[in-house]
Amino acid sequence: MSQVVAEFKQVDSWFFRESRPHGSVGANALNSVFPPPTRTLMGAIRSYIGYQYFAQYNEYNWDNLDNLPQLQAVIGHAERLGSVQPRGVFIKRISGKDTTYYLPAPSNICEKFEQDKNHYLAFKLTQKPYQTDIGHIHLATLPEKVEGLVDSRGFKPLENTWISTQCWQAILEGDISALAKNSHQICKLDDFINSEYRLGIELQTDFSKENVRSVKEGQLYQTTHLRLAPDVSVVMPMQYDADDLSQVGNEVLAKQATLRLGGEARMANVQFLTEQADYLPKAPKQFTQTQSNGKKRFMLYFISKLIMQNGWLPQGFTQNQAQNGFDGNINDIAMTIVSACMGKAYREGGWNQLEHKPRPIENYLPAGTALFIDVDESINDSEIIAKLHGKTYLDNAWGEGLMLVGKVIQN
């Protein structure tokens, strides 16, 4: 598979509607989610490829898609993707000659500002399991004593935070001290975006009535648009089959384009970067730690959302009371989830353009979810890296559950 990075830059403000409906109780304005949902960005890319194809073969249009196997092989159809598949959505910032990629911060890292500087700690597991409402499991906790600080009270998880690839590399190596040295590369959303509040009017869209597209009396709504900082763009790495793409046109992903993107069809410039981009940190060569029970433990991070199954668990995992965890298999690696650190569930719906109706709202594990994993001692580190690091959960075509592996952090 070949790789390319789609970089989206703003022409106008953007709006990516949250899952909450208009007029919901206790709220006046609809917020915009950030980063843009993968489905929204892929919808724009797939439409762009389709229009490029129809420009070459003007005897065809979207009504002929069912009878165009070459085009379908590239962009897919309705809910099914073709060979062009995303691998996460991240942030890119250019400062002078320096280019920095930012990924969602892991949920096992906590921050506290004291003595005129930021301090960072990582959750660790309790020595013994506790009986909870989800079973007999080890809990994640902060150390009671911290060198250089009175105590660990006041530390909070990194929410709505993005950290650089360099900081992520230190986390995977288990070196949390590097975060304080590079705190300028740990950014909140406000460092990347500004909010703009807009007032809209609902239109009459029922074609069975008169005055179609006239204003509905009293139907006002408020939305929150996003404006990126001048040096910030959104990037979506993609993989594709070069042979399939050649049937549509080799230059399709080698051009710059202006697209309609998100709610209200706001404009965006997109360019396709073919050079190798180091947006993902590398896995440490040796990162597992042998436990007293003979198992090997490491951290597994999801840097893109993943659909929940059976409560909060990823698909295919079931509880194992004997092991005080949850057993399952990811990409042919048998493992046990000992404990987890995660933020609030991410909810996403969207719009079904083919059938002109909303898509069902589903719950996802949020990007940044951190899992404490145990595997059998017979599984070596290189095998884990080959099957998990930089790969998606069960080879998800939408890039959901993009994984990183690293050491358990010792504060």
Side-chain angles (χ1 to χ4, degrees):
M1 299 291 282
S2 302
Q3 292 188 347
V4 67
V5 175
E7 180 179 10
F8 295 84
K9 296 183 178 180
Q10 277 191 319
V11 175
D12 197 357
S13 63
W14 288 342
F15 174 61
F16 306 104
R17 176 176 170 170
E18 61 177 329
S19 60
R20 184 169 52 84
H22 279 295
S24 55
V25 177
N28 296 320
L30 283 182
N31 292 320
S32 180
V33 298
F34 188 84
T38 305
R39 288 180 180 273
T40 300
L41 298 183
M42 278 303 296
I45 295 295
R46 295 160 82 189
S47 295
Y48 165 71
I49 295 174
Y51 284 122
Q52 292 294 305
Y53 182 85
F54 299 140
Q56 296 179 64
Y57 306 98
N58 53 26
E59 67 270 27
Y60 298 125
N61 56 42
W62 289 109
D63 294 333
N64 308 120
L65 182 59
D66 288 337
N67 300 316
L68 297 173
Q70 297 93 345
L71 182 58
Q72 277 200 47
V74 175
I75 68 173
H77 188 280
E79 293 292 314
R80 176 183 59 80
L81 284 176
S83 63
V84 177
Q85 299 179 356
R87 286 298 176 265
V89 178
F90 310 117
I91 297 173
K92 177 182 177 181
R93 169 172 273 172
I94 298 178
S95 178
K97 296 182 179 180
D98 297 329
T99 298
T100 306
Y101 290 91
Y102 289 84
L103 314 180
S107 297
N108 62 326
I109 305 297
C110 295
E111 179 184 45
K112 177 182 179 181
F113 184 79
E114 187 173 296
Q115 300 172 0
D116 297 327
K117 65 178 182 179
N118 290 317
H119 302 267
Y120 298 92
L121 287 178
F123 281 111
K124 64 176 184 178
L125 294 186
T126 55
Q127 293 293 325
K128 63 177 182 178
Y130 288 83
Q131 183 61 43
T132 71
D133 57 353
I134 59 173
H136 208 57
I137 61 170
H138 293 269
L139 300 178
T141 182
L142 290 176
E144 295 181 1
K145 296 182 179 180
V146 183
E147 184 178 353
L149 295 176
V150 176
D151 55 38
S152 60
R153 287 179 294 182
F155 277 87
K156 296 181 179 180
L158 295 175
E159 295 182 344
N160 296 322
T161 303
W162 294 71
I163 64 177
S164 68
T165 303
Q166 179 182 351
C167 289
W168 255 109
Q169 188 69 61
I171 290 173
L172 298 186
E173 297 283 355
D175 181 17
I176 197 173
S177 64
L179 299 185
K181 301 174 184 177
N182 297 281
S183 58
H184 63 286
Q185 294 185 1
I186 301 177
C187 302
K188 304 296 183 182
L189 280 183
D190 292 345
D191 296 321
F192 298 127
I193 62 175
N194 290 311
S195 298
E196 298 180 358
Y197 298 99
R198 305 293 177 89
L199 187 66
I201 303 173
E202 185 178 359
L203 299 180
Q204 172 63 261
T205 57
D206 188 346
F207 288 87
S208 65
K209 299 180 179 180
E210 297 181 358
N211 300 321
V212 175
R213 298 194 65 78
S214 61
V215 175
K216 286 187 178 181
E217 184 176 352
Q219 296 300 309
L220 300 178
Y221 65 92
Q222 188 176 353
T223 56
T224 305
H225 286 230
L226 303 176
R227 183 79 64 177
L228 297 186
D231 57 352
V232 171
S233 58
V234 173
V235 294
M236 181 175 66
M238 300 185 299
Q239 65 178 27
Y240 64 93
D241 187 296
D243 292 335
D244 287 345
L245 193 65
S246 66
Q247 300 297 315
V248 175
N250 286 323
E251 300 300 317
V252 167
L253 296 183
K255 301 177 181 178
Q256 296 187 15
T258 301
L259 311 175
R260 295 183 181 274
L261 184 63
E264 303 184 10
R266 296 288 172 149
M267 304 305 292
N269 286 329
V270 61
Q271 60 180 355
F272 301 98
L273 310 176
T274 56
E275 65 267 19
Q276 185 66 33
D278 295 327
Y279 61 92
L280 288 184
K282 295 178 173 57
K285 293 182 179 180
Q286 299 292 330
F287 58 91
T288 58
Q289 300 169 358
T290 303
Q291 306 299 303
S292 58
N293 59 1
K295 298 284 187 177
K296 297 199 298 187
R297 182 168 296 171
F298 66 95
M299 296 300 302
L300 179 66
Y301 300 97
F302 293 128
I303 56 172
S304 63
K305 69 181 189 298
L306 178 65
I307 191 80
M308 290 182 179
Q309 299 283 340
N310 190 22
W312 64 272
L313 291 169
Q315 178 182 347
F317 278 81
T318 56
Q319 191 166 9
N320 183 341
Q321 288 284 11
Q323 296 292 331
N324 300 316
F326 305 86
D327 290 343
N329 187 296
I330 302 180
N331 297 357
D332 296 326
I333 299 287
M335 62 181 66
T336 299
I337 298 177
V338 181
S339 193
C341 299
M342 64 186 68
K344 297 177 182 177
Y346 176 79
R347 291 168 58 80
E348 183 177 291
W351 182 257
N352 187 323
Q353 187 70 26
L354 181 65
E355 300 179 9
H356 301 287
K357 66 179 184 181
R359 293 181 59 252
I361 295 176
E362 296 182 295
N363 294 324
Y364 294 83
L365 290 172
T369 294
L371 305 180
F372 293 83
I373 299 293
D374 278 359
V375 296
D376 191 83
E377 59 183 348
S378 63
I379 303 176
N380 59 49
D381 290 23
S382 59
E383 181 181 358
I384 296 173
I385 293 172
K387 293 185 177 180
L388 300 182
H389 192 82
K391 305 296 191 300
T392 58
Y393 187 89
L394 303 181
D395 295 324
N396 185 281
W398 286 95
E400 295 176 359
L402 186 64
M403 296 174 285
L404 301 176
V405 298
K407 297 178 180 179
V408 175
I409 300 172
Q410 306 296 329
N411 293 300

